[in-house]
Amino acid sequence: MNLAPRTKKIGAMIAAGLLVVAVAFVAVLAVLIGNAPDKEPVVTAYADGRTVEVEPYLYCAVSDPLCTNVGETSELEVGKAPTVQLSLPEPIYSAPWVLAVVYGDGSGDAVENTEFNEPGTRLSVTVPTSDESNRTLLGIEIRLPTGIIDTDTNQEGFVSHAIWSIGTRP
């Protein structure tokens, strides 16, 4: 097939235009993907055949641990299960973190037990649904602590810059 020179030029210009559009599309797509916000880590909680994906209750940058990015407490029905099992994502288990467990009795008294965990030591946690005093599990929190200094008093302390909160019910 022998095309006229003018037809060849038009075809070449169309091909070049399509190539420019394709390259621009790929470049814009790469920028959008690169600037997409990181997904916040999710804790998976399991008890009595039920699974809950727990989004952060509080999630702040380490550099701004006093932010107000507050979410919701996730609820998990534990039924007659003897334990709640938690699976932790890499951003939690690779950092220092705190497990806080709250038990209560029928009189309204509640007891919180906390346990500090070193980075990389636990990928999952099993929490009993009743403690040694036969109190019922009311809730669980996973906390990522950050050190802070009060500039007025120069006192050092810790706050949680991220919290995953799970309310439990029978």
Side-chain angles (χ1 to χ4, degrees):
M1 173 186 216
N2 197 0
L3 298 175
R6 181 174 177 177
T7 304
K8 288 181 183 178
K9 283 182 185 179
I10 291 173
M13 288 175 37
I14 290 173
L18 289 174
L19 181 62
V20 167
V21 169
V23 168
F25 176 77
V26 169
V28 168
L29 187 60
V31 168
L32 289 175
I33 290 171
N35 291 337
D38 292 336
K39 186 169 179 347
E40 296 169 345
V42 174
V43 171
T44 302
Y46 172 83
D48 199 34
R50 296 172 187 86
T51 301
V52 175
E53 296 292 316
V54 182
E55 301 285 335
Y57 174 78
L58 174 73
Y59 198 79
C60 306
V62 175
S63 60
D64 183 22
L66 302 177
C67 74
T68 58
N69 295 342
V70 177
E72 297 180 6
T73 297
S74 296
E75 295 292 326
L76 178 63
E77 188 176 328
V78 298
K80 296 190 183 287
T83 61
V84 173
Q85 298 164 345
L86 304 176
S87 177
L88 308 177
E90 190 273 335
I92 295 175
Y93 73 73
S94 66
W97 59 278
V98 174
L99 172 67
V101 181
V102 178
Y103 291 97
D105 58 24
S107 68
D109 291 333
V111 175
E112 179 180 306
N113 300 315
T114 59
E115 177 184 339
F116 180 80
N117 293 271
E118 296 285 335
T121 57
R122 297 173 77 181
L123 303 175
S124 62
V125 179
T126 300
V127 177
T129 55
S130 62
D131 67 3
E132 63 280 348
S133 299
N134 205 31
R135 291 179 287 231
T136 303
L137 179 64
L138 301 176
I140 304 167
E141 283 189 350
I142 303 293
R143 303 172 182 161
L144 295 183
T146 298
I148 62 167
I149 297 175
D150 184 331
T151 55
D152 295 332
T153 63
N154 285 331
Q155 293 286 62
E156 297 176 356
F158 290 95
V159 296
S160 297
H161 74 89
I163 300 172
W164 290 261
S165 179
I166 305 161
T168 57
R169 62 182 188 280

